Amino acid sequence: MKANRLLLIAASATLLTAGAPLPAHADGLTLSMTAGTGWQASSPGGRIQTNVMVAPGFEILGPLLRFDAGFVADLPDIEASRFDVQVRPSLVIELPVLPIYGRVSAGVADLLHGPVSVAFGPSIGVRMGVGGVSLLAEVGYIPMVRSGDFESVIEARAGVAFGI
């Protein structure tokens, strides 16, 4: 019940910002705000914490290639979890004709409570928008190395992006 409430709050906040007035826009700068959760396929298995990410970015090769720096808050919505933070830089490749994109992310997690974990993996998503505001959804395989153990994690995200 608590997990559903937190996910609803995160999704509502993300959707409400889609209707907010856009700040002054500089060409090539982007901002995405997403909420995500997923499943740890490796032992012990189970749902991963819901997280909320804010990712400012900039275009490298116009709209074709972009760099994002994701700042992630892990919410304490599953048993024996607590609030923590991650940093996830990524490269995003947009297809010029289709609303599909690919992302390669690397990052560090568990920065507040440790031990620090390392993640690296690909995602694929769809993005549709008008006038510099887009809704997006993606699914990714984000394996992590935590305390020397390899964990397979599948994650789904949804949110809003500005400037792309």
Side-chain angles (χ1 to χ4, degrees), residues 21-163:
L22 291 175
H25 174 69
D27 281 340
L29 297 180
T30 63
L31 177 68
S32 62
M33 295 177 287
T34 59
T37 191
W39 189 262
Q40 180 175 321
S42 55
S43 182
R47 190 174 75 79
I48 64 169
Q49 290 174 249
T50 302
N51 60 57
V52 178
M53 179 164 56
V54 175
F58 59 90
E59 294 174 341
I60 297 171
L61 294 174
L64 182 64
L65 184 64
R66 183 176 73 249
F67 173 81
D68 287 346
F71 299 96
V72 183
D74 291 325
L75 304 178
D77 65 337
I78 58 175
E79 191 175 326
S81 67
R82 55 186 170 178
F83 178 84
D84 216 321
V85 295
Q86 302 179 34
V87 177
R88 285 191 197 174
S90 63
L91 284 174
V92 182
I93 298 172
E94 294 264 348
L95 296 177
V97 199
L98 301 172
I100 297 172
Y101 63 89
R103 175 186 307 275
V104 176
S105 299
V108 289
D110 304 317
L111 294 175
L112 292 180
H113 301 291
V116 173
S117 306
V118 177
F120 181 83
S123 301
I124 189 165
V126 294
R127 182 185 63 78
M128 299 184 76
V130 189
V133 179
S134 304
L135 296 178
L136 59 95
E138 70 181 55
V139 139
Y141 174 63
I142 312 295
M144 298 187 83
V145 177
R146 188 182 317 249
S147 297
D149 294 326
F150 181 82
E151 299 176 5
S152 290
V153 177
I154 307 295
E155 184 179 66
R157 310 194 66 70
V160 62
F162 301 97

